Amino acid sequence: LDTVCELLSATPPSQLATLGAQIRQPPGFEPYLDFVRDRVLCRFNSRSYVEEAERWRVATAALRILRQLAINYSQAQHGEEAGEPTE
């Protein structure tokens, strides 16, 4: 999950609409959003983990991805470059 977040943070917001266009239809960030939301975040608490801390690492990573998708989406709407917004 950390790698997905890193890749999303390096993707220019203007390219969000074409993510995965070479390998699937429709392209875009929605499949990533759906996967992280539905298959990771919504199920993290019902899975078994060897270490309890892993449960929270999974949840944290999923939330980081959702946050990065929201940042990228917002930046794409405003024509900004990739990366963290200034706070």
Side-chain angles (χ1 to χ4, degrees), residues 20-79:
Q22 302 86 354
I23 57 172
R24 65 176 157 70
Q25 288 297 322
F29 73 92
E30 288 88 356
Y32 300 97
L33 173 64
D34 294 345
F35 174 79
V36 171
R37 182 192 63 218
D38 299 340
R39 301 202 178 228
V40 178
L41 191 59
C42 286
R43 297 179 184 181
F44 90 96
N45 206 32
S46 62
R47 289 195 172 108
S48 297
Y49 297 90
V50 174
E51 298 178 26
E52 185 64 22
E54 183 66 15
R55 174 184 321 273
W56 303 110
R57 285 192 292 269
V58 168
T60 300
L63 290 170
R64 284 182 53 228
I65 291 169
L66 294 178
R67 179 179 184 267
Q68 190 61 51
L69 284 169
I71 289 167
N72 286 10
Y73 179 78
S74 176
Q75 289 174 340
Q77 297 301 305
H78 296 96

Side-chain angles (χ1 to χ4, degrees), residues 8-16 68-87:
L8 287 171
S9 66
T11 301
S14 60
Q15 293 181 2
L16 282 177
Q68 190 61 51
L69 284 169
I71 289 167
N72 286 10
Y73 179 78
S74 176
Q75 289 174 340
Q77 297 301 305
H78 296 96
E80 300 171 16
E81 294 298 317
E84 293 285 333
T86 54
E87 296 187 30

